[in-house]
Amino acid sequence: MKVLYAAAEGSPFAKVGGLGDVIGALPKSLAARGHEVAVVLPYYDQIAMRYGHEMTDVTHWTVRVGWRQEYAGVKKLSMGPVTFYFIDNEHYFFRGHVYGDWDDGERFAFFQQAVLEMMERVDFIPDVLHVNDYHTAMIPFLLKEKYRWIHAYEHIRTVLTIHNLQFQGQYDAGMLPELFGMGTERFDDGTVRWNGALNWLKAGILYADRITTVSPTYAREIMTPDFGCGLDQVLRMEEGKLSGITNGIDTELFDPATDIHIPYAFSVEQNRDGKVKNKKALQERCGLPVREDVPLFGIVSRLTDQKGFGLVVSELSSLLQQDIQLVVLGTGDPRYEEAFRWFADQYPDKVSAHITFNLELAQQIYAGTDGFLMPSAFEPCGLSQMMAMRYGSVPVVHEVGGLRDTVEPYNEFTQTGTGFGFGEFSGYWFTQTVLKFLEVYQDHPSEFEALQTRAMSADFSWDSACERYEQLYAQMSM
């Protein structure tokens, strides 16, 4: 089977969030199962600086972006069994970042058309074209409405994965003629119109042959008004082609036994000694008192409302009355950045705040902490909780989306579970759940160590997720 993934980001080349991790891992896993797999990404300047000398120039042509003629080059790089193609246009993609420009609509309108025009030129016409989030969600629509005349494309099947429904790509209807070179018929008849705007994600939902999300619970949630971000009605209408497949993580990369970023390697069998040594090293690095007995919590996240930091900040003064320590790593909403700086200043023996992103420190937080706070308001899948568990940092999560699918709440009666969870999104229940964590940690150390062992032993590899995608692709080809 031939599969082409199209996305706005992909590890290790350009990564902003979980989408980048998926594009870095899923194609590799699928190719290892014997399929012919390729990925197409924009050729950002950061990619050029790091990997440009390894690239092969394949071809170039001009893409019509409305009345404009825009250069489109294709570069190629093989990484293991996966072929990566990159759409080159310095005007659109040499910006020093991936997202956030006023003309993102034009940038990704160009990219999507270039992807479809590239396939014949590089002689890679897939059985399945798998697009991701709104940046590439117009591709199924374009394939069936604008490029349907290309005979070689008539058997391509499309999959749209929604990594985060909140971002939908909503633009003026004039974009259809001005950037895509199309008429407005499908906007005028309501097909791609939603709340008076051209909605890229709605177009993808309606035109893709299959829709997936990154966890089964999130697939159910987005069909409800509370989580549907206004598109729940459309998703309920297309329920028959919607499914949820939980993301995995790269278990070779996130392995405490081989991780070069942590001071002391350890495994499930050496969990106790490894955690103690890494905890001491983290406390020393972060300027916290070195104490083995104090529960040390970690946060590695974007500091946003979605990630539940309204709860954390509102409850932290109360929680810090307990004998705990907290290390925070992340950037985001200035309110939360400033709040964590303030707590670090007021409680220097309890809180260490790092308002930045540092991969090495992130890994050391996973390895050195006893608990990991991730009380997201909503979470399509989440990767940090799986990474933390891999390193024996027991998560405290809001039981929503992928957090519900990956963290089994601790049950003191059956001695089961891999973390601690709360159902109602409130400061009270967040605090009560942290206090339950402290009770088990302090009063039942053997139970807590068993809980850590179960968390570290959970299977978050891409093997099972990849098998689900493989089955989905096979069903589409029948």
Side-chain angles (χ1 to χ4, degrees):
M1 188 184 303
K2 294 177 72 172
V3 182
L4 176 64
Y5 293 89
E9 59 177 279
S11 179
F13 303 102
K15 177 195 160 187
V16 177
L19 168 59
D21 290 301
V22 172
I23 298 303
L26 175 57
K28 181 173 66 174
S29 184
L30 188 69
R33 299 172 74 92
H35 301 285
E36 190 175 353
V37 182
V39 178
V40 57
L41 302 167
Y43 188 59
Y44 299 111
D45 45 358
Q46 66 197 74
I47 300 175
M49 286 186 287
R50 185 173 176 185
Y51 296 97
H53 64 286
E54 301 178 41
M55 299 282 177
T56 300
D57 289 305
V58 179
T59 186
H60 64 86
W61 74 103
T62 57
V63 173
R64 293 182 64 89
V65 184
W67 55 269
R68 293 175 293 285
Q69 299 279 351
E70 287 288 348
Y71 171 85
V74 176
K75 295 180 181 291
K76 178 181 176 181
L77 174 63
S78 294
M79 187 169 282
V82 180
T83 300
F84 287 86
Y85 294 103
F86 300 89
I87 301 296
D88 179 23
N89 180 297
E90 292 187 6
H91 168 63
Y92 287 132
F93 301 130
F94 276 40
R95 305 285 184 92
H97 48 260
V98 174
Y99 311 121
D101 288 328
W102 67 272
D103 61 344
D104 275 0
E106 181 176 336
R107 297 169 69 214
F108 291 105
F110 161 79
F111 176 67
Q112 292 175 95
Q113 293 173 95
V115 167
L116 287 165
E117 295 177 19
M118 174 201 79
M119 295 188 296
E120 268 195 312
R121 288 178 166 85
V122 302
D123 193 27
F124 192 96
I125 299 173
D127 301 302
V128 176
L129 176 51
H130 191 147
V131 303
N132 296 269
D133 276 348
Y134 88 87
H135 324 93
T136 51
M138 285 287 281
I139 285 178
F141 168 78
L142 294 169
L143 184 65
K144 293 179 180 177
E145 294 285 351
K146 181 177 180 180
Y147 294 94
R148 65 179 182 273
W149 59 272
I150 302 178
H151 179 71
Y153 293 178
E154 64 183 359
H155 296 299
I156 295 175
R157 298 292 178 262
T158 56
V159 177
L160 165 66
T161 293
I162 301 171
H163 299 261
N164 192 332
L165 188 62
Q166 191 173 31
F167 305 104
Q168 299 177 9
Q170 300 180 74
Y171 300 101
D172 185 86
M175 176 179 279
L176 285 168
E178 291 171 10
L179 298 182
F180 290 108
M182 301 175 66
T184 61
E185 295 85 359
R186 291 295 171 262
F187 179 88
D188 297 334
D189 68 15
T191 304
V192 297
R193 185 178 71 235
W194 198 247
N195 292 331
L198 168 65
N199 189 302
W200 288 15
L201 200 58
K202 182 192 178 189
I205 291 168
L206 293 180
Y207 278 81
D209 296 301
R210 294 289 188 277
I211 311 159
T212 69
T213 66
V214 289
S215 72
T217 296
Y218 190 60
R220 295 190 296 271
E221 290 174 345
I222 61 175
M223 289 187 287
T224 69
D226 287 344
F227 293 91
C229 300
L231 286 176
D232 52 286
Q233 179 182 339
V234 180
L235 287 159
R236 287 195 299 272
M237 185 173 69
E238 298 295 325
E239 181 179 2
K241 62 182 184 183
L242 172 64
S243 60
I245 301 175
T246 304
N247 284 341
I249 58 173
D250 189 329
T251 51
E252 293 180 5
L253 181 64
F254 296 100
D255 184 351
T258 58
D259 191 337
I260 62 173
H261 297 299
I262 64 176
Y264 302 98
F266 65 102
S267 63
V268 175
E269 294 75 22
Q270 303 163 322
N271 172 40
R272 180 63 187 163
D273 289 342
K275 292 297 289 186
V276 169
K277 291 178 180 178
N278 282 288
K279 181 175 180 176
K280 178 181 178 182
L282 181 63
Q283 289 169 325
E284 289 175 342
R285 174 170 180 168
C286 295
L288 296 171
V290 175
R291 290 177 52 197
E292 182 182 335
D293 63 321
V294 64
L296 175 58
F297 290 95
I299 290 172
V300 178
S301 180
R302 287 182 291 110
L303 305 178
T304 63
D305 287 327
Q306 183 221 319
K307 296 297 183 179
F309 288 107
L311 290 190
V312 176
V313 168
S314 68
E315 297 295 310
L316 198 50
S317 290
S318 173
L319 285 172
L320 288 172
Q321 304 313 305
Q322 305 293 322
D323 187 18
I324 65 171
Q325 293 177 346
L326 173 66
V327 178
V328 180
L329 173 64
T331 61
D333 190 317
R335 294 175 300 159
Y336 299 134
E337 292 183 353
E338 194 55 41
F340 284 118
R341 287 192 184 100
W342 184 86
F343 280 112
D345 182 62
Q346 295 296 309
Y347 299 89
D349 289 343
K350 293 191 172 188
V351 180
S352 178
H354 305 263
I355 309 304
T356 182
F357 181 76
N358 182 310
L359 176 61
E360 180 184 64
L361 180 56
Q363 301 303 98
Q364 291 179 14
I365 290 173
Y366 296 138
T369 52
D370 303 296
F372 190 80
L373 303 182
M374 198 169 173
S376 302
F378 69 93
E379 192 62 68
C381 178
L383 299 175
S384 294
Q385 81 280 10
M386 292 188 270
M387 296 170 185
M389 291 162 70
R390 182 98 168 120
Y391 289 75
S393 185
V394 177
V396 175
V397 302
H398 178 209
E399 294 175 24
V400 69
L403 299 177
R404 182 172 183 168
D405 293 329
T406 55
V407 179
E408 180 187 355
Y410 170 70
N411 186 314
E412 61 188 298
F413 302 106
T414 60
Q415 299 291 290
T416 57
T418 56
F420 295 84
F422 57 100
E424 181 182 321
F425 187 68
S426 69
Y428 172 80
W429 284 111
F430 169 63
T431 295
Q432 291 303 307
T433 307
V434 174
L435 293 177
K436 181 64 177 178
F437 178 109
L438 297 179
E439 177 191 337
V440 178
Y441 179 89
Q442 294 163 343
D443 299 339
H444 308 282
S446 61
E447 287 185 27
F448 187 82
E449 192 169 343
L451 202 164
Q452 282 183 310
T453 298
R454 291 192 297 271
M456 292 185 72
S457 303
D459 181 9
F460 295 126
S461 71
W462 270 102
D463 292 342
S464 57
C466 182
E467 186 176 347
R468 292 281 310 280
Y469 280 110
E470 191 176 37
Q471 292 168 355
L472 179 70
Y473 299 156
Q475 291 167 4
M476 295 167 59
S477 301
M478 292 178 180

